Amino acid sequence: VRASGASTDASTVDEIAPETLSAAITDRLVYSAWSFRVRARTANGWTAWSASSAEVRTLSVCGDGLRHADEACDQGATPANDGCPSCAVAEGYTCVGGTESSADTCEAGCGDSVKSAVEGCDDGGFSGGDGCSASCALEPGWACSVNDNGAATSGCATTCGDGVKAG
């Protein structure tokens, strides 16, 4: 590691004390960890290898499609309402499959009584004929209520006067 303002000549690189480097990275979340050993070429030949450095850690990048320790999920660059905004699992979604080398797959949890952005309704049931189908789609002739934040349905009722016989 070269100190800021240090010479670009490798033979005159300023040393950074391990405690200084460690203090600079202590508060960072883990993406990967590295340690280094170095040696130098002098007029008399190569020096011996140094002892291993302190561990150097780098930050994860939300949206890169690789889930790391500080991320609940990471689908990569996906459109809004994807179930994983800001690398946190959105209410009403389940995300699985993400590793440090692969992206997560997130799906709305139909039948969990929490309406996600991709569901027309979610009454907590798995049968149709009650206004909210088994696939969480609003059935014709019905209207479903939602709570104050618009997330969860509390029940469905037929809509009188809409020309659709339902219920």
Side-chain angles (χ1 to χ4, degrees):
V1 175
R2 181 174 291 143
S4 64
S7 168
T8 57
D9 178 359
S11 65
T12 60
V13 172
D14 296 335
E15 181 178 336
I16 298 176
E19 58 275 4
T20 303
L21 182 60
S22 180
I25 63 174
T26 299
D27 296 327
R28 303 293 185 223
L29 300 172
V30 176
Y31 173 83
S32 58
W34 302 85
S35 63
F36 300 92
R37 293 175 28 149
V38 296
R39 66 183 193 164
R41 186 172 184 176
T42 68
N44 296 328
W46 288 97
T47 63
W49 285 101
S50 69
S52 290
S53 68
E55 198 171 81
V56 177
R57 297 180 284 171
T58 61
L59 290 173
S60 61
V61 177
C62 181
D64 65 357
L66 307 173
R67 189 194 319 167
H68 299 286
D70 61 317
E71 299 172 323
C73 58
D74 194 330
Q75 288 186 279
T78 57
N81 300 325
D82 64 355
C84 185
S86 303
C87 292
V89 180
E91 186 176 6
Y93 284 84
T94 302
C95 299
V96 296
T99 67
E100 289 193 1
S101 60
S102 64
D104 281 283
T105 301
C106 299
E107 295 181 357
C110 180
D112 62 0
S113 296
V114 179
K115 182 186 172 296
S116 69
V118 297
E119 295 172 321
C121 58
D122 194 331
D123 62 0
F126 294 102
S127 61
D130 60 357
C132 188
S133 74
S135 60
C136 292
L138 186 60
E139 296 176 324
W142 293 79
C144 299
S145 58
V146 296
N147 65 10
D148 291 338
N149 66 9
T153 60
S154 59
C156 301
T158 58
T159 306
C160 185
D162 62 359
V164 177
K165 183 178 179 185

